[in-house]
Amino acid sequence: MQQLDNQEILMKLKSQKQFWDIKKKVKQGFSDQQKIGINDIQKFAQSCEIEDQLIKLISHILKKSKKRETLKEDQIEFLNTSKIKWTELLFKNLDIVHQKAKNQEEDDTNTDSKLYIYDEKNLLAFLQTFKQQQPSVLYQNVQFQSNKLLNINIPLKSSQQILDKYQYILLQEELPEEKINKIRKSIENEHLDIELEKIAQTYVPNGERCLLYLKYFEFDHQETVLQQNFAKLQKECQNQLFIDELLEIDGHEISEDTFYFVFQEQILTCLKCFIRDKSIKENIRIQLQNGMKKEHAEFQLPVAGFFPFKNISKYVAPLCYLSTKIHIIYALFKEFFCRYFCFLHAISSEYNSILSLCMQIEEIVSTRSPKLFHHLKVIGCDTLKLIIHQLIYCFVGDMDPPHILTIYDQILGHDSLEILVILCVGFLNKYKPKLLLAKNYENVQQIFQELREDKFQELVQFAYKQ
Amino acid sequence: MQNKKLKWKSDFEKSVIIENFVNRGWIKSQEKEEESTDWNVYWATVWNVRNIFNPKNGFRLNDQQIINHFPNHYELTRKDFMVKNLKRFKREQDKEVLETFNFDFLPTTYIFPGEYSLFVEEFHRNPNQTWIVKPAARSQGKGIFLLRKIQQLKKISGTTVTSNMTQLNLASKENYVVSRYIDNPLLIGGKKFDLRMYVLVTNYKPLKVWIYNKGFGRFCNEQYTTDVAEIENMFVHLTNVAIQQYSDKYSQKHGGKYSIDALKLYVESAYGTDALQRMMDDIHNIMLTSLKSVQAVIQNDKHCFEMYGYDILLDSNLKPWLIEINASPSLTTTTPVDKNLKMNLINDVYNIVLPNDDFPDNEQKCNYLFIQCIEQQPTKVGGFTLLYDESLDPNNRKTQKRQSVKIWK
């Protein structure tokens, strides 16, 4: 990790507008005085909160100077081995998909549309195999609960901790115009990520969301660079890859969505650029797949370092609302994926990982709604199988875009995917009465096929209902 | 009390109408003849309304009857009459000291055959301008084409047309409107769209207007282009569902319809809150100004209300333009979302025009409660919000306009 000395910190401070604002304030405070001592400055700074502002600014600089390394190795060796097995499986799937695609080209009547390398069900099924393999280290000190789908020894936060963390959302009321205007001004003036996170946790006006995201990711003065980088990637898209075909097929589903069909072309363009983007490997927080060498170059992992999966389009879609400029949409998608969504597809014991989130959900539902948990088990419908789609795709396609963007706000605001745990628990609680009456998996399917409208605030409220 | 056994009649076999009537416990009128009068609620075609209000038929609606068109609705819903009335209203307003209406939403338009020579002058002044030609009284995109050369008018004249002709004889008796084509529409995903919004008028004198909060954008299936080679490609230029449904790219799932709520989120997020507010204010101005333009002309009748379908096009500067106003906006449903919207729309219409199944006269009978009734009138019913109520302050139109916009906000 890069350490900054005092000189470097000072240089970085001088590049921040806030530093000069603070300096101006201090000068104004002592405009009449001839002799000013350090104690005078300190007293003054403490009295008008300048000291706090300076501390936050320095913390921000130190935080930004730490380059986050991509997590490649997990603390649990078994999961490292599993990642390799998962990657091998995906390579096999790729071979199958490649063959299917060839067959479809040759035979027009064969329109098998299952041309994807993996989907959320495949991933969940793979995670389930951990239990069956039962390496002793994973089951140390674990009270084996055979009714849970996933139950292995990885560090988990307590359910209560997660529930307590997001309880403040229950108290959120509609804000008056005055307060919203205040928030707007804060977003315009604020640069510190810790302050932007606080805003994102509370309320983000639609008109300022893009600006908040850009500022948080430090893109607000980088538009030209973003444009140039994106243009380079677009040029590379002229060389067609096999994966492009899969992305085009993936786009068909989003092209049928009433909220996202208008962005179909933009979504596809973003994804085609994404899989060609070499910088993903350095910026992504966690390695998704463990790349292996194969004889044929075309079957190596894409440049981005992982195979795209079914419904990857869903992650891009909501961000298309934020800007008319595709290079901005791309930049935001890339950051969201590299910081957050990557964890939903990584075999890992990290708190944000799919494994951890799934286990948190099972834990909360089995303890707070045991009747539902048991009933679903009895009718052959595991809790996780019911909500895995909503969890992995952040409810895109299940909630209207304003609610999805609120989810994205919360993810950024807490630098965590835990809000998805709350929402999944809320989702199950909302439909609990109907689910308890279901006699089999088909009944359950029917419940979710009916026209429904799930809302962010509503699901959070249901999450806290017992 | 609701669920009074009112008798209904409908000229349209549309589920959103019939299911609404049935859900209210109303009974279908058993009289089979088209001219039957044994009904309380009638959802009629514009032609049957014309017959009903034709003095030669000697038929008078009674106090327990309500119908969905004003007698001469066409003053607003025929393209040529709409243009004529707006131009006349503008001339009247130009003479007024107080300027309260903005007319900058109607593209330069000429009515054929009468204004052909004026059109030719304008055409020569701007030879690179594209024009759109529409039959005045048809719908669903029928007979519409884009014009770049005068010679193209042969389509409607039946004979060769040259640029030095000062008169145009049309092959058919119908009028045409020729408008400057808005060639810089707002695009989303590279495709052109227009807005369909619903407005309910329950009274013209005084004017009372409700706006529905749900509507949709109707998208073309092909990427927009101003390339002359694509000028005849209706899948690029005409947003009517009746046309787009024949495109290879048409989707049964969404029908090319994008909700107004989604559009507002997009505009606000991508352009800012102020931009969205300006856009909506401009749209409301279009609605109010167009209705005001025919206020003096429309035969107001207590038995009538009208649910208009406004077609509005946004340009790349988010400026809305009035395309046309429909008297019988389609109640065909192409998707489950569409059905949900139109079911609620019709339901809310009747919650306003027949609150608790009471006929409007019943509310006004009690004179001593009249003022109270006005003050207690709701400004929101279901998805409808009161946009304008002239009775609130009939002497100050400026105040009313601000008030009604405030109500909407």
Side-chain angles (χ1 to χ4, degrees), chain B residues 261-281:
Chain B
D261 288 339
L263 176 74
K264 282 181 184 175
L265 174 65
Y266 174 73
V267 170
E268 189 176 14
S269 303
Y271 293 90
T273 308
D274 290 344
L276 172 65
Q277 192 57 60
R278 269 195 306 274
M279 184 187 93
M280 293 310 298
D281 286 346

mmCIF file of all heavy atoms in Angstrom, chain B residues 261-281:
data_model
loop_
_atom_site.group_PDB
_atom_site.id
_atom_site.type_symbol
_atom_site.label_atom_id
_atom_site.label_comp_id
_atom_site.label_asym_id
_atom_site.label_seq_id
_atom_site.Cartn_x
_atom_site.Cartn_y
_atom_site.Cartn_z
ATOM 1 N N ASP B 261 -44.077 8.050 -16.488
ATOM 2 C CA ASP B 261 -43.292 8.085 -15.248
ATOM 3 C C ASP B 261 -41.827 7.783 -15.534
ATOM 4 O O ASP B 261 -40.930 8.441 -15.000
ATOM 5 C CB ASP B 261 -43.832 7.068 -14.232
ATOM 6 C CG ASP B 261 -45.154 7.516 -13.642
ATOM 7 O OD1 ASP B 261 -45.442 8.731 -13.688
ATOM 8 O OD2 ASP B 261 -45.912 6.657 -13.151
ATOM 9 N N ALA B 262 -41.596 6.792 -16.369
ATOM 10 C CA ALA B 262 -40.221 6.432 -16.721
ATOM 11 C C ALA B 262 -39.572 7.573 -17.496
ATOM 12 O O ALA B 262 -38.408 7.917 -17.269
ATOM 13 C CB ALA B 262 -40.190 5.138 -17.534
ATOM 14 N N LEU B 263 -40.330 8.175 -18.381
ATOM 15 C CA LEU B 263 -39.788 9.295 -19.165
ATOM 16 C C LEU B 263 -39.427 10.466 -18.248
ATOM 17 O O LEU B 263 -38.377 11.089 -18.401
ATOM 18 C CB LEU B 263 -40.802 9.758 -20.201
ATOM 19 C CG LEU B 263 -40.342 10.983 -20.991
ATOM 20 C CD1 LEU B 263 -39.262 10.608 -21.993
ATOM 21 C CD2 LEU B 263 -41.493 11.656 -21.727
ATOM 22 N N LYS B 264 -40.306 10.747 -17.286
ATOM 23 C CA LYS B 264 -40.044 11.861 -16.367
ATOM 24 C C LYS B 264 -38.781 11.574 -15.550
ATOM 25 O O LYS B 264 -37.967 12.466 -15.309
ATOM 26 C CB LYS B 264 -41.218 12.042 -15.416
ATOM 27 C CG LYS B 264 -42.406 12.762 -16.018
ATOM 28 C CD LYS B 264 -43.463 12.882 -14.934
ATOM 29 C CE LYS B 264 -44.716 13.494 -15.420
ATOM 30 N NZ LYS B 264 -45.744 13.481 -14.359
ATOM 31 N N LEU B 265 -38.630 10.326 -15.128
ATOM 32 C CA LEU B 265 -37.420 9.961 -14.368
ATOM 33 C C LEU B 265 -36.184 10.176 -15.233
ATOM 34 O O LEU B 265 -35.184 10.729 -14.778
ATOM 35 C CB LEU B 265 -37.509 8.498 -13.917
ATOM 36 C CG LEU B 265 -36.252 7.947 -13.238
ATOM 37 C CD1 LEU B 265 -35.989 8.662 -11.915
ATOM 38 C CD2 LEU B 265 -36.379 6.439 -12.993
ATOM 39 N N TYR B 266 -36.281 9.774 -16.493
ATOM 40 C CA TYR B 266 -35.158 9.929 -17.403
ATOM 41 C C TYR B 266 -34.819 11.408 -17.617
ATOM 42 O O TYR B 266 -33.662 11.820 -17.499
ATOM 43 C CB TYR B 266 -35.483 9.267 -18.746
ATOM 44 C CG TYR B 266 -34.442 9.490 -19.813
ATOM 45 C CD1 TYR B 266 -33.212 8.841 -19.756
ATOM 46 C CD2 TYR B 266 -34.673 10.366 -20.865
ATOM 47 C CE1 TYR B 266 -32.246 9.055 -20.725
ATOM 48 C CE2 TYR B 266 -33.704 10.590 -21.832
ATOM 49 C CZ TYR B 266 -32.496 9.927 -21.766
ATOM 50 O OH TYR B 266 -31.527 10.150 -22.726
ATOM 51 N N VAL B 267 -35.832 12.201 -17.879
ATOM 52 C CA VAL B 267 -35.590 13.624 -18.134
ATOM 53 C C VAL B 267 -35.012 14.294 -16.882
ATOM 54 O O VAL B 267 -34.044 15.052 -16.961
ATOM 55 C CB VAL B 267 -36.889 14.327 -18.594
ATOM 56 C CG1 VAL B 267 -36.710 15.845 -18.629
ATOM 57 C CG2 VAL B 267 -37.303 13.832 -19.971
ATOM 58 N N GLU B 268 -35.584 13.980 -15.733
ATOM 59 C CA GLU B 268 -35.101 14.608 -14.510
ATOM 60 C C GLU B 268 -33.664 14.188 -14.203
ATOM 61 O O GLU B 268 -32.829 15.017 -13.836
ATOM 62 C CB GLU B 268 -36.002 14.244 -13.330
ATOM 63 C CG GLU B 268 -35.655 15.063 -12.096
ATOM 64 C CD GLU B 268 -36.570 14.818 -10.920
ATOM 65 O OE1 GLU B 268 -37.333 13.823 -10.925
ATOM 66 O OE2 GLU B 268 -36.503 15.626 -9.968
ATOM 67 N N SER B 269 -33.397 12.879 -14.354
ATOM 68 C CA SER B 269 -32.065 12.377 -14.009
ATOM 69 C C SER B 269 -31.012 12.863 -15.000
ATOM 70 O O SER B 269 -29.887 13.178 -14.613
ATOM 71 C CB SER B 269 -32.057 10.845 -13.999
ATOM 72 O OG SER B 269 -33.012 10.355 -13.103
ATOM 73 N N ALA B 270 -31.377 12.891 -16.285
ATOM 74 C CA ALA B 270 -30.376 13.203 -17.310
ATOM 75 C C ALA B 270 -30.266 14.694 -17.601
ATOM 76 O O ALA B 270 -29.210 15.162 -18.018
ATOM 77 C CB ALA B 270 -30.695 12.431 -18.588
ATOM 78 N N TYR B 271 -31.362 15.428 -17.378
ATOM 79 C CA TYR B 271 -31.360 16.856 -17.725
ATOM 80 C C TYR B 271 -31.533 17.763 -16.517
ATOM 81 O O TYR B 271 -31.268 18.960 -16.612
ATOM 82 C CB TYR B 271 -32.479 17.163 -18.726
ATOM 83 C CG TYR B 271 -32.287 16.538 -20.088
ATOM 84 C CD1 TYR B 271 -32.788 15.270 -20.362
ATOM 85 C CD2 TYR B 271 -31.617 17.204 -21.095
ATOM 86 C CE1 TYR B 271 -32.620 14.686 -21.607
ATOM 87 C CE2 TYR B 271 -31.446 16.631 -22.351
ATOM 88 C CZ TYR B 271 -31.951 15.370 -22.592
ATOM 89 O OH TYR B 271 -31.784 14.794 -23.831
ATOM 90 N N GLY B 272 -32.007 17.220 -15.418
ATOM 91 C CA GLY B 272 -32.179 18.043 -14.217
ATOM 92 C C GLY B 272 -33.638 18.293 -13.879
ATOM 93 O O GLY B 272 -34.505 18.225 -14.753
ATOM 94 N N THR B 273 -33.880 18.608 -12.619
ATOM 95 C CA THR B 273 -35.244 18.813 -12.121
ATOM 96 C C THR B 273 -35.883 20.036 -12.774
ATOM 97 O O THR B 273 -37.055 20.004 -13.136
ATOM 98 C CB THR B 273 -35.216 18.998 -10.589
ATOM 99 O OG1 THR B 273 -34.480 17.907 -10.039
ATOM 100 C CG2 THR B 273 -36.603 19.028 -10.004
ATOM 101 N N ASP B 274 -35.101 21.100 -12.933
ATOM 102 C CA ASP B 274 -35.658 22.320 -13.539
ATOM 103 C C ASP B 274 -36.095 22.072 -14.978
ATOM 104 O O ASP B 274 -37.125 22.577 -15.420
ATOM 105 C CB ASP B 274 -34.616 23.453 -13.515
ATOM 106 C CG ASP B 274 -34.359 23.959 -12.102
ATOM 107 O OD1 ASP B 274 -35.196 23.647 -11.214
ATOM 108 O OD2 ASP B 274 -33.344 24.624 -11.871
ATOM 109 N N ALA B 275 -35.315 21.295 -15.693
ATOM 110 C CA ALA B 275 -35.646 20.985 -17.082
ATOM 111 C C ALA B 275 -36.957 20.209 -17.151
ATOM 112 O O ALA B 275 -37.801 20.457 -18.021
ATOM 113 C CB ALA B 275 -34.525 20.182 -17.729
ATOM 114 N N LEU B 276 -37.137 19.271 -16.228
ATOM 115 C CA LEU B 276 -38.376 18.499 -16.204
ATOM 116 C C LEU B 276 -39.558 19.407 -15.899
ATOM 117 O O LEU B 276 -40.603 19.326 -16.537
ATOM 118 C CB LEU B 276 -38.297 17.386 -15.155
ATOM 119 C CG LEU B 276 -39.592 16.627 -14.900
ATOM 120 C CD1 LEU B 276 -40.024 15.844 -16.126
ATOM 121 C CD2 LEU B 276 -39.472 15.677 -13.707
ATOM 122 N N GLN B 277 -39.376 20.298 -14.918
ATOM 123 C CA GLN B 277 -40.467 21.187 -14.523
ATOM 124 C C GLN B 277 -40.873 22.094 -15.679
ATOM 125 O O GLN B 277 -42.062 22.272 -15.953
ATOM 126 C CB GLN B 277 -40.017 22.027 -13.325
ATOM 127 C CG GLN B 277 -41.152 22.773 -12.652
ATOM 128 C CD GLN B 277 -42.248 21.855 -12.205
ATOM 129 O OE1 GLN B 277 -42.071 20.936 -11.403
ATOM 130 N NE2 GLN B 277 -43.433 22.048 -12.750
ATOM 131 N N ARG B 278 -39.869 22.610 -16.383
ATOM 132 C CA ARG B 278 -40.160 23.492 -17.544
ATOM 133 C C ARG B 278 -40.924 22.724 -18.608
ATOM 134 O O ARG B 278 -41.873 23.217 -19.203
ATOM 135 C CB ARG B 278 -38.853 24.011 -18.158
ATOM 136 C CG ARG B 278 -38.355 25.313 -17.605
ATOM 137 C CD ARG B 278 -37.276 25.935 -18.494
ATOM 138 N NE ARG B 278 -36.176 25.043 -18.762
ATOM 139 C CZ ARG B 278 -35.107 24.879 -17.973
ATOM 140 N NH1 ARG B 278 -35.012 25.559 -16.852
ATOM 141 N NH2 ARG B 278 -34.135 24.041 -18.301
ATOM 142 N N MET B 279 -40.494 21.505 -18.843
ATOM 143 C CA MET B 279 -41.130 20.666 -19.866
ATOM 144 C C MET B 279 -42.600 20.431 -19.499
ATOM 145 O O MET B 279 -43.489 20.567 -20.342
ATOM 146 C CB MET B 279 -40.388 19.335 -19.947
ATOM 147 C CG MET B 279 -40.889 18.402 -21.032
ATOM 148 S SD MET B 279 -40.094 16.789 -20.912
ATOM 149 C CE MET B 279 -41.247 15.886 -19.891
ATOM 150 N N MET B 280 -42.849 20.080 -18.250
ATOM 151 C CA MET B 280 -44.229 19.804 -17.828
ATOM 152 C C MET B 280 -45.071 21.072 -17.844
ATOM 153 O O MET B 280 -46.233 21.049 -18.250
ATOM 154 C CB MET B 280 -44.244 19.182 -16.414
ATOM 155 C CG MET B 280 -43.634 17.796 -16.332
ATOM 156 S SD MET B 280 -44.244 16.626 -17.576
ATOM 157 C CE MET B 280 -45.972 16.530 -17.187
ATOM 158 N N ASP B 281 -44.485 22.184 -17.444
ATOM 159 C CA ASP B 281 -45.224 23.456 -17.495
ATOM 160 C C ASP B 281 -45.605 23.776 -18.938
ATOM 161 O O ASP B 281 -46.720 24.235 -19.207
ATOM 162 C CB ASP B 281 -44.369 24.602 -16.937
ATOM 163 C CG ASP B 281 -44.263 24.545 -15.422
ATOM 164 O OD1 ASP B 281 -45.043 23.794 -14.797
ATOM 165 O OD2 ASP B 281 -43.412 25.261 -14.857
#
